[in-house]
Amino acid sequence: EPEVTQTPSHQVTQMGQEVILRCVPISNHLYFYWYRQILGQKVEFLVSFYNNEISEKSEIFDDQFSVERPDGSNFTLKIRSTKLEDSAMYFCASNRGHSNTEAFFGQGTRLTVV
Amino acid sequence: GQQVMQIPQYQHVQEGEDFTTYCNSSTTLSNIQWYKQRPGGHPVFLIQLVKSGEVKKQKRLTFQFGEAKKNSSLHITATQTTDVGTYFCAANTGTASKLTFGTGTRLQVTL
């Protein structure tokens, strides 16, 4: 069964450093997403990406964040100058269509900022 | 912005007991999806409801979408230890592609 894959599974970084979280969405999917989940809290939308551009972003997704699809398979989330409060689980997701279709989530990257 | 609340926040049941989580939105929803997240895991899609008043069943799980399309529920009959996890409802409204997740209900099942 096809799945969304994310690397690394866990990343520890020092405050102020840049991190890149990587995702390989399911190959025939068109919409890609990043979500964040702070420990014990709900899943929060960060950004959606379609047709090589951002289609929607949340208030959380400020200038510190950027996304890229550098080639036909990878989808990355870059966080510049990380802060302690960026510590969370970051999930990549993809789906085939727009709304009304299920989202497939990756296993997540646990980011710890120290 | 869109607010989706769930109650209860946490429920602890004995195996064999029933469980229900309720999801309420501040606005009318185009659809509602339900996801399960096992401890340490990622959200896994369970089902989607689209029509007003829709009821769907998956084995011991029953999902309902309210007539006004502002609320939904998930009922589990005769819980098992494998049901342990957090259940989230999630919605996209209008043509938005993002999912707005509910606050989640964490279910603990003991023998």
Side-chain angles (χ1 to χ4, degrees):
Chain A
E1 184 176 320
E3 58 181 19
V4 176
T5 57
Q6 288 186 244
T7 54
S9 56
H10 191 188
Q11 173 104 39
V12 181
T13 189
Q14 292 209 326
M15 194 167 51
Q17 296 296 305
E18 174 181 287
V19 295
I20 297 176
L21 311 183
R22 302 180 193 280
C23 169
V24 179
I26 294 173
S27 61
N28 62 349
H29 285 187
L30 301 177
Y31 288 81
F32 315 122
Y33 309 85
W34 284 101
Y35 290 85
R36 178 181 85 174
Q37 186 177 35
I38 294 170
L39 187 62
Q41 298 187 22
K42 69 176 183 179
V43 179
E44 298 175 291
F45 168 78
L46 292 178
V47 66
S48 60
F49 193 86
Y50 170 71
N51 201 24
N52 285 321
E53 60 183 22
I54 291 174
S55 55
E56 192 167 0
K57 59 184 180 179
S58 71
E59 292 175 354
I60 304 169
F61 195 88
D62 59 21
D63 292 343
Q64 184 194 5
F65 295 88
S66 62
V67 289
E68 203 174 40
R69 188 156 163 81
D71 53 45
S73 60
N74 290 286
F75 179 51
T76 62
L77 174 68
K78 182 188 291 185
I79 309 175
R80 287 179 282 275
S81 190
T82 49
K83 303 185 284 254
L84 294 176
E85 54 265 37
D86 294 327
S87 295
M89 183 72 89
Y90 289 80
F91 291 107
C92 174
S94 68
N95 67 23
R96 286 191 302 274
H98 202 229
S99 57
N100 291 348
T101 56
E102 69 177 278
F104 292 79
F105 283 78
Q107 304 281 349
T109 294
R110 178 168 299 285
L111 176 65
T112 303
V113 182
V114 297
Chain B
Q2 176 74 32
Q3 297 277 348
V4 184
M5 304 298 292
Q6 283 182 255
I7 54 170
Q9 193 174 359
Y10 171 73
Q11 181 130 28
H12 183 182
V13 300
Q14 299 283 323
E15 190 178 46
E17 292 181 337
D18 292 356
F19 160 77
T20 304
T21 171
Y22 300 91
C23 175
N24 294 286
S25 168
S26 56
T27 59
T28 303
L29 305 172
S30 59
N31 65 59
I32 193 84
Q33 298 181 5
W34 285 91
Y35 290 79
K36 177 183 179 181
Q37 185 177 29
R38 293 184 187 276
H42 60 284
V44 174
F45 176 82
L46 294 175
I47 208 156
Q48 175 172 269
L49 305 169
V50 178
K51 299 176 185 174
S52 168
E54 190 169 14
V55 177
K56 287 188 176 180
K57 293 193 175 187
Q58 285 180 351
K59 297 182 180 177
R60 294 178 295 103
L61 278 60
T62 302
F63 303 84
Q64 288 190 305
F65 200 9
E67 293 290 341
K69 299 183 77 172
K70 283 189 170 184
N71 56 71
S72 181
S73 64
L74 158 59
H75 179 82
I76 303 178
T77 304
T79 54
Q80 300 174 358
T81 54
T82 52
D83 295 325
V84 164
T86 301
Y87 293 85
F88 290 98
C89 61
N92 34 35
T93 56
T95 58
S97 61
K98 70 180 184 187
L99 285 172
T100 299
F101 278 78
T103 46
T105 296
R106 186 161 71 92
L107 173 64
Q108 180 64 34
V109 181
T110 51
L111 295 170

